[in-house]
């Protein structure tokens, strides 16, 4: 088997408009970035195009590729668009209405309940079937499994042509035996069936959430499997593995929990990819911001369709198991990301009452904004930026020309309906978009007890930095950090993450009289499962790392708080350390605790283990320092153009700088525009940009910069 002369790891993130690529040469330690238009009809085309493009820039070939990590929105888009497979649901006899009963929560509170329409069930009642048999909450069999009934159910789904099935039996988290037997019978009677078992998807109590999570997993399994198989086949063709010229290269898919998993394993747990791309971006931005010296960061990942925001503290993103995709709850470990429909392609429109709205509808990559000249007819955020001079008349260094006059014509028509000038309409579009993003940032910060004024904003993505200065004003943020190649931060993040698998087991028990032996055996079993998965991924046992945690609550509460469960022997002292951490975290989250109150029992609910296999991370390069011998204007000033930052002030002359020519220590005052291959940063009047030694743009209000 021949191998290439270089070892190149590639991170590739497929977005709604562009596919972002970062290549890391393990031999030289260098990073190379590029972008290529996404191909919504067949995302695999954009995937391979991106790899071909970055390798051509490196003078390398497919044989030089050592590994590929991929962030995908296939599962997310399928759920957001509601294009689900026709599914069936098998549950315990007597519990056939668990999906209909659901939870009583009403979006936006009961004040809107009169207008709220209960969303359509993920599986309609006629496709829900039950099987006799019963386990108790400890997993003990109360009634034996009804095998004849199971066969009849399997035959019904086979005859109805329903091939995608979710199985959730009562208390299967404590004992998976009945579910496993159901799958064996389905394999025998209905071999075409694609099956997800709740005991494998989410071994945690609460029947509704476990049912929904299992069904979401089943619903995306066929499409994700087809997509991954197609990508894998194309990748093998490209690298020569298909013809036996080399071993198949490692191919990883980003997971929602902040880790990656081999593509072969992802098809067995596709629900773990529902926030694949946003998770990679949050991790990449967190690492960059931490290395720049910022410990409290809000990330703003602006793409063509939406903007994703999250909180990073000390380099670690906030995690949750209470997430959802669209209207579907997915109780799996995921980075806590809030998404708002405010991307470069978001469409501006008017309501019947004549109000201006922006998004969540998007022109995407096809047909795209009006200025793309590909058939788009509705004005978008990108058209507004172009009209106001805040972005250049082209994208990707000239690869995609933009039609300024077409954008003006589209916005003029909208402005006429609103009775506004074209500039006021365009700035209004951007103001609404900025407030949409600001509200999402408030949701993950202010509404969770964090003082947003203590945070820097890490803005990235192709459109992430376009409204950065306005967000500082709206939220009173400390400032903004814009990484090098901001349009490729998600792809960069894919090269920084480890392989990670999460395992959970519900075990409800009062802390007083806790059976330490049972806790120890559960943690051991979970760690054994994690170790087996890491072994299958090719990691040596000496490289395995395990993180333990536990979900605790006060007796009578309906929610839990997750805290670390340190490594070491399971002793009473160890348990006390965990409960002390729970009291502290409960006070931080909710402002009170019951430590020392003998009337308030602490209850253990879930035990968790994460198995982690480390991957080599690229190091961030340092930028050269500016000097008097190379004046900023002579070196980096590319041009000047008329830019409108405020419709009342009209257009002003702004210096346009080419970012690749900037050096550490450079300082730029607004009004100015900083451009690079994949993105643009408009620097509003009253703001100052400092370039740090890693090439990040650190933007603050001019008064703040002067005081420092």
């Amino acid at each position: 088997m021949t191998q290439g002369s270089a070892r190149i790891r590639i991170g590739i993130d497929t977005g709604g408009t562009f596919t972002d690529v970062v290549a890391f040469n393990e031999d030289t330690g260098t990073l190379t970035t590029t972008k290529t238009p996404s191909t919504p009809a067949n995302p695999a085309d954009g995937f391979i195009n991106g790899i071909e493009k970055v390798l051509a820039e490196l003078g390398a070939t497919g044989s030089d590729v050592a590994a590929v990590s991929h962030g995908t929105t296939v599962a997310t888009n399928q759920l957001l668009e509601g294009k689900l497979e026709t599914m069936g649901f098998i549950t315990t006899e007597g519990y056939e209405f668990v999906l209909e009963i659901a939870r009583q929560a009403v979006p936006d509170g009961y004040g809107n309940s009169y207008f709220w329409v209960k969303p359509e069930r993920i599986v309609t009642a006629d496709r829900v079937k039950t099987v006799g048999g019963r386990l108790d909450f400890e997993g003990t069999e109360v009634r034996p499994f009804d095998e004849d009934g199971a066969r009849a159910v399997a035959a019904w789904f086979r005859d109805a042509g329903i091939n995608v099935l979710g199985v959730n039996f009562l208390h299967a988290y404590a004992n998976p035996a009945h579910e496993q037997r159901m799958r064996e019978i389905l394999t025998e009677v209905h071999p075409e069936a694609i099956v997800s078992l709740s005991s494998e998807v989410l071994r945690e109590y609460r029947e509704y959430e476990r049912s929904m999570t299992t069904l979401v997993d089943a619903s995306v399994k066929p499409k994700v499997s087809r997509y991954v198989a197609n990508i894998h086949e194309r990748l093998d063709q490209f690298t020569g593995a298909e013809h036996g010229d080399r071993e198949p290269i490692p191919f990883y898919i980003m997971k929602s929990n902040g880790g990656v998993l081999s593509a072969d394993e992802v098809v067995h747990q596709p629900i773990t990819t529902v926030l694949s791309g946003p998770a990679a971006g949050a991790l990449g931005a967190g690492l960059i911001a931490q290395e720049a010296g910022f410990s409290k960061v809000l990330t703003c990942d602006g793409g063509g369709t939406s903007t994703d925001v999250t909180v990073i503290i000390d380099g670690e993103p906030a995690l949750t198991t209470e997430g959802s995709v669209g209207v579907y709850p997915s109780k799996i470990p995921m980075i806590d990301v809030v998404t708002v429909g405010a991307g470069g392609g978001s469409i501006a429109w008017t309501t019947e009452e004549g109000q201006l709205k922006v998004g969540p509808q998007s022109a995407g990559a096809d047909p795209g904004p009006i200025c793309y000249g590909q058939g788009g007819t509705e004005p978008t955020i990108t058209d507004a930026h172009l009209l106001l001079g805040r972005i250049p008349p082209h994208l990707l260094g000239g690869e995609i020309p933009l039609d300024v006059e077409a954008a003006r014509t589209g916005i003029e028509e909208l402005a006429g309906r609103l009775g506004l000038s074209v500039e006021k309409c365009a700035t209004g579009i951007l103001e609404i978009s900025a407030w949409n993003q600001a509200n999402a940032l408030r949701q993950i910060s202010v509404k969770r007890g964090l003082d947003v004024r203590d945070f820097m904003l890490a803005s990235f993505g192709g459109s992430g930095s376009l409204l950065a200065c306005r967000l500082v004003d709206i939220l009173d943020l400390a400032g903004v950090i814009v990484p090098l190649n901001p349009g490729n931060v998600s792809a960069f993040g894919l090269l920084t993450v480890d392989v990670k698998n999460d395992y959970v087991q519900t075990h409800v028990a009062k802390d007083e009289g806790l059976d330490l032996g049972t806790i120890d055996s559960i943690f051991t079993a979970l760690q054994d499962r994690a170790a087996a998965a890491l072994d299958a991924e090719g990691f040596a046992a000496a490289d395995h790392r395990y993180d333990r945690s536990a979900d605790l609550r006060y007796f009578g509460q309906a929610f839990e708080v997750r805290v670390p469960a340190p490594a070491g022997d399971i002793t009473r002292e160890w348990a006390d350390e965990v409960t002390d951490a729970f009291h502290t975290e409960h006070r931080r989250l909710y402002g009170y605790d019951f430590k020392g109150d003998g009337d308030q029992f602490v209850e253990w609910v879930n035990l968790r283990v994460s198995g982690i296999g480390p991957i080599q991370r690229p190091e961030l390069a340092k930028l050269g320092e500016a000097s008097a011998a190379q004046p900023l204007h002579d070196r980096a000033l590319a041009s000047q153009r008329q830019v409108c930052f405020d419709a009342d002030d009209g257009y002003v002359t702004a210096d346009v700088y080419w970012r690749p020519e900037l050096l550490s220590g450079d300082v730029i005052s607004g009004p100015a525009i900083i451009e690079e291959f994949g993105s643009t940063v408009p620097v509003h009047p009253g703001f100052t940009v400092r370039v740090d030694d890693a090439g990040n743009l650190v933007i603050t209000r001019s008064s703040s910069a002067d005081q420092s």
Side-chain angles (χ1 to χ4, degrees):
M1 305 263 180
T2 60
Q3 297 290 334
S5 58
R7 286 183 52 81
I8 298 171
R9 283 201 290 122
I10 295 176
I12 184 162
D13 179 59
T14 299
T17 306
F18 292 106
T19 294
D20 307 326
V21 189
V22 174
F24 172 51
N25 189 321
E26 293 183 335
D27 297 328
T28 63
T30 56
L31 290 169
T32 303
T33 65
T34 193
K35 298 170 79 76
T36 188
S38 293
T39 52
N42 185 358
D45 291 340
F47 179 94
I48 295 298
N49 291 344
I51 293 179
E52 289 178 335
K53 186 175 181 181
V54 77
L55 290 180
E57 293 180 15
L58 290 169
T61 66
S63 62
D64 295 311
V65 179
V68 175
S69 296
H70 181 37
T72 173
T73 57
V74 169
T76 311
N77 291 344
Q78 184 182 357
L79 293 170
L80 290 175
E81 295 167 7
K83 298 177 180 178
L84 305 184
E85 303 282 345
T86 300
M87 288 189 296
F89 181 46
I90 304 173
T91 190
T92 300
E93 188 176 51
Y95 287 81
E96 59 267 35
F97 296 114
V98 65
L99 300 179
E100 294 297 327
I101 296 171
R103 296 294 180 199
Q104 66 177 6
V106 175
D108 300 321
Y110 285 94
N112 292 326
S113 61
Y114 182 80
F115 303 99
W116 179 64
V117 178
K118 193 174 184 179
E120 184 178 345
R121 301 296 89 189
I122 192 170
V123 175
T124 55
D126 61 305
R127 299 200 300 271
V128 177
K129 301 298 175 183
T130 64
V131 177
R134 182 69 181 270
L135 303 168
D136 68 13
F137 74 97
E138 293 180 327
T140 303
E141 188 174 79
V142 177
R143 291 196 300 272
F145 184 63
D146 182 2
E147 297 208 0
D148 290 338
R151 291 180 185 279
V153 165
W156 188 91
F157 282 116
R158 179 198 62 204
D159 296 342
I162 298 173
N163 299 331
V164 180
L165 302 172
V167 180
N168 178 20
F169 291 144
L170 196 65
H171 301 309
Y173 59 85
N175 181 354
H178 287 187
E179 287 192 352
Q180 291 171 348
R181 182 58 185 144
M182 185 71 234
R183 179 165 57 189
E184 291 171 356
I185 290 172
L186 283 167
T187 301
E188 176 187 339
V189 177
H190 187 11
E192 298 298 317
I194 297 171
V195 182
S196 289
L197 303 183
S198 77
S199 54
E200 294 177 350
V201 175
L202 182 68
R203 202 158 176 177
E204 189 175 332
Y205 87 143
R206 292 195 173 100
E207 300 307 315
Y208 172 67
E209 284 78 9
R210 189 153 49 90
S211 297
M212 286 298 299
T213 304
T214 302
L215 287 165
V216 169
D217 182 78
S219 70
V220 300
K221 193 170 281 185
K223 190 166 186 177
V224 170
S225 298
R226 291 192 296 268
Y227 174 74
V228 170
N230 186 16
I231 290 281
H232 218 163
E233 181 182 357
R234 297 281 296 275
L235 194 58
D236 285 346
Q237 291 172 351
F238 182 72
T239 60
E242 181 187 47
H243 306 294
D245 296 333
R246 60 172 295 178
E247 295 290 340
I249 65 171
F251 177 35
Y252 298 105
I253 304 291
M254 184 73 199
K255 297 171 63 179
S256 310
N257 67 353
V260 292
L261 188 65
S262 70
D264 292 337
E265 291 299 319
V266 157
V267 298
H268 301 303
Q269 41 183 304
I271 191 175
T272 61
T273 70
V274 293
L275 288 176
S276 178
L283 288 165
L287 174 64
I288 292 168
Q290 187 180 34
E291 298 229 349
F294 301 110
S295 59
K296 293 184 176 181
V297 177
L298 302 176
T299 69
C300 181
D301 179 3
T305 304
S306 62
T307 296
D308 304 306
V309 300
T310 192
V311 176
I312 306 284
I313 296 179
D314 294 329
E316 294 294 330
L319 295 174
T320 183
T321 57
E322 304 297 329
S324 63
V325 181
V327 298
Y328 307 115
S330 300
K331 196 173 170 63
I332 59 170
M334 60 177 69
I335 290 178
D336 194 1
V337 174
V338 171
T339 299
V340 59
S346 294
I347 293 170
W349 54 285
T350 56
T351 66
E352 292 181 358
E353 296 78 22
Q355 292 182 322
L356 177 62
K357 298 284 187 179
V358 180
Q361 307 93 330
S362 174
D366 185 12
I370 295 174
C371 60
Y372 279 22
Q374 297 178 351
T377 59
E378 298 176 284
T380 67
I381 291 173
T382 296
D383 294 307
H385 279 297
L386 179 65
L387 172 66
L388 298 173
R390 300 191 192 182
I391 61 174
H394 55 74
L395 297 177
L396 304 188
E399 291 184 23
I400 301 177
L402 303 179
D403 189 336
V404 179
E405 290 309 311
R408 175 176 291 277
T409 300
I411 294 178
E412 275 181 342
E413 193 276 332
L414 179 66
R417 280 186 272 143
L418 294 166
L420 298 173
S421 70
V422 66
E423 284 78 19
K424 279 191 176 292
C425 183
T427 54
I429 291 170
L430 300 187
E431 184 71 1
I432 292 171
S433 179
W435 277 93
N436 287 341
Q437 292 182 0
N439 288 335
L441 289 163
R442 279 200 176 110
Q443 184 177 337
I444 62 166
S445 56
V446 177
K447 291 185 177 181
R448 299 181 189 180
L450 300 174
D451 189 341
V452 71
R453 295 170 297 181
D454 296 336
F455 285 77
M456 290 288 288
L457 181 71
S459 66
F460 58 98
S463 66
S465 305
L466 292 173
L467 298 171
C469 291
R470 187 68 188 114
L471 290 172
V472 171
D473 282 337
I474 293 172
L475 295 171
D476 198 18
L477 295 163
V480 182
I481 176 173
V482 184
L484 273 174
N485 303 305
N488 295 75
V489 169
S490 291
F492 167 76
L494 289 163
L495 299 177
T496 71
V497 298
D498 300 321
V499 170
K500 184 178 180 183
N501 279 295
D502 297 305
Y503 301 92
V504 60
Q505 174 69 61
T506 291
H507 177 70
V508 180
K510 288 184 179 179
D511 182 66
E512 185 179 84
L514 189 68
D515 186 338
L516 299 174
T518 299
I519 299 294
D520 186 44
S521 64
I522 292 174
F523 270 131
T524 299
L526 294 175
Q527 185 163 315
D528 287 344
R529 292 176 62 193
L534 292 174
D535 289 340
E537 295 279 4
F539 289 94
D543 294 330
H544 293 187
R545 192 174 86 242
Y546 306 102
D547 288 343
R548 299 192 307 200
S549 60
D551 300 346
L552 280 68
R553 67 187 178 194
Y554 292 117
F555 181 71
Q557 286 183 330
F559 58 89
E560 298 83 45
V561 174
R562 184 179 306 176
V563 293
D569 295 336
I570 308 296
T571 63
R572 186 61 251 178
E573 292 74 20
W574 173 90
D576 290 342
E577 184 179 349
V578 175
T579 55
D580 283 346
F582 162 70
H583 292 304
T584 300
E585 183 65 5
H586 195 283
R587 172 167 288 277
R588 187 188 72 81
L589 290 171
Y590 305 110
Y592 70 96
D593 67 69
F594 292 113
K595 185 176 182 179
D597 187 339
D599 295 330
Q600 290 290 339
F601 296 106
V602 172
E603 209 170 33
W604 295 61
V605 179
N606 298 310
L607 305 178
R608 302 177 184 272
V609 170
S610 295
I612 300 167
I615 289 178
Q616 179 187 353
R617 293 183 177 182
E619 293 185 4
L620 299 176
K622 299 300 181 183
L623 207 62
E625 291 190 9
S627 67
Q630 296 178 300
L632 171 64
H633 280 57
D634 293 347
R635 171 174 25 93
L637 183 63
S639 63
Q640 291 181 323
R641 69 168 174 262
Q642 297 298 297
V643 182
C644 180
F645 293 100
D646 186 314
D648 291 331
D649 295 337
Y651 287 86
V652 297
T653 301
D655 291 338
V656 179
Y657 294 91
W658 183 237
R659 186 171 181 181
E661 298 299 328
L662 297 180
L663 296 174
S664 174
D666 280 336
V667 176
I668 297 171
S669 297
I673 302 291
I674 301 175
E675 295 179 354
E676 58 185 301
F677 174 76
S679 67
T680 300
V681 182
V683 184
H684 289 223
F687 284 83
T688 298
V689 178
R690 175 180 55 83
V691 183
D692 71 11
D693 60 2
N696 301 304
L697 305 179
V698 181
I699 306 173
T700 56
R701 294 186 186 89
S702 295
S703 57
S704 300
D706 294 341
Q707 292 170 4
S708 63

